[in-house]
Amino acid sequence: DINDHAPKFHNCDSYSQQARVEEERPIGTSVIQVQASDEDKGENGEIEYEILSTHSHERNAPFKIDSQTGLITTNIIFDREPNGKFNEYSITVKAKDKGKPHPLSDACSFRIKILDINDHAPQFYESEYKISIKYGTKPGQNIQRIIASDADSGKNAEIRYRIEQAGEFAKYFLVDESTGMISMKRELSMPQNQMKRPIMFNLIAEDGGIPSR
């Protein structure tokens, strides 16, 4: 046999759809196994794999590959949020045969996506809000919108609001679960001279992750 065939990645176009790993998974977590074939025999058909580039800004190489099996695993622990937009990595792998004197090779480039997990709870910008309400405010009138933010993405960052521990005042207030807008459910019915004490309740922001936070 002469080395007249180069290795070939037959499924390279599908790797970008398959290659993904959750953030915060331990080093050594499997990402994807690439595979090339070579029509030659003996050493001319034996293939070794290597990573040519990952186009990353990490200090350490984010992935490593088993030279014999083509299994790509993580080499760092990923955290999506500090990376901002760098949550997808372009990677180029090479398959090279052992032909002599000139081995033949093929390269395959694809993307690896880092998936979000629900590792952040929603956060209000302030721990306590003080709101002034005019006596006689009518039902349906908006009082104030209070919003929270969540560093996650997708469902993990979708926030729903609710009022808790309002006690006897629960009947007077409601919050739009999507926008955080607090409004009057009904007009305050107590005498005006009793309105000097503060009305206190908790506004809860909960994300859509499973489990939620």
Side-chain angles (χ1 to χ4, degrees):
D1 183 66
I2 62 172
N3 192 26
D4 55 347
H5 294 90
K8 178 69 176 177
F9 288 102
H10 295 285
N11 298 314
C12 183
D13 291 343
S14 68
Y15 290 157
S16 290
Q17 301 300 319
Q18 303 172 36
R20 51 197 62 208
V21 63
E22 288 184 341
E23 62 173 329
E24 297 192 5
R25 299 294 293 172
I27 292 174
T29 297
S30 297
V31 179
I32 190 172
Q33 186 169 13
V34 299
Q35 186 174 23
S37 61
D38 193 313
E39 295 181 12
D40 291 316
K41 305 296 182 182
E43 286 192 340
N44 294 335
E46 293 180 11
I47 297 173
E48 289 186 333
Y49 301 93
E50 63 178 300
I51 294 176
L52 294 181
S53 63
T54 55
H55 306 286
S56 79
H57 298 272
E58 311 289 349
R59 177 177 299 177
N60 299 319
F63 305 101
K64 59 183 178 180
I65 189 169
D66 187 298
S67 63
Q68 301 303 310
T69 66
L71 178 64
I72 296 174
T73 56
T74 59
N75 197 42
I76 62 173
I77 296 175
F78 294 95
D79 188 356
R80 279 177 52 98
E81 287 75 29
N83 283 334
K85 63 181 179 180
F86 298 109
N87 293 314
E88 193 173 81
Y89 292 79
S90 295
I91 185 172
T92 301
V93 296
K94 178 181 179 180
K96 180 177 67 174
D97 64 30
K98 296 182 180 180
K100 297 177 181 179
H102 302 295
L104 302 177
S105 64
D106 188 23
C108 173
S109 296
F110 56 95
R111 298 182 305 277
I112 297 176
K113 188 173 184 179
I114 310 303
L115 302 177
D116 183 55
I117 64 171
N118 195 24
D119 56 341
H120 293 85
Q123 296 287 329
F124 288 105
Y125 296 101
E126 303 287 343
S127 60
E128 182 177 300
Y129 292 85
K130 295 181 179 180
I131 305 170
S132 297
I133 306 171
K134 291 183 178 180
Y135 187 77
T137 300
K138 300 300 181 183
Q141 186 168 337
N142 291 336
I143 300 172
Q144 184 165 326
R145 184 184 181 196
I146 298 177
I147 59 174
S149 62
D150 194 308
D152 292 313
S153 63
K155 286 286 186 182
N156 295 333
E158 293 180 4
I159 299 174
R160 292 290 180 266
Y161 301 89
R162 68 178 186 274
I163 291 174
E164 288 189 353
Q165 297 182 8
E168 61 181 302
F169 300 107
K171 60 185 177 182
Y172 295 111
F173 302 98
L174 58 84
V175 61
D176 186 296
E177 68 169 13
S178 298
T179 67
M181 177 63 76
I182 299 172
S183 60
M184 296 299 297
K185 185 189 298 186
R186 58 188 293 183
E187 188 174 349
L188 291 168
S189 57
M190 65 187 65
Q192 189 170 2
N193 60 7
Q194 295 183 15
M195 290 290 292
K196 293 182 179 180
R197 63 190 179 97
I199 299 171
M200 301 183 67
F201 56 80
N202 291 337
L203 182 63
I204 305 298
E206 184 177 58
D207 64 33
I210 300 176
S212 61
R213 301 190 69 170

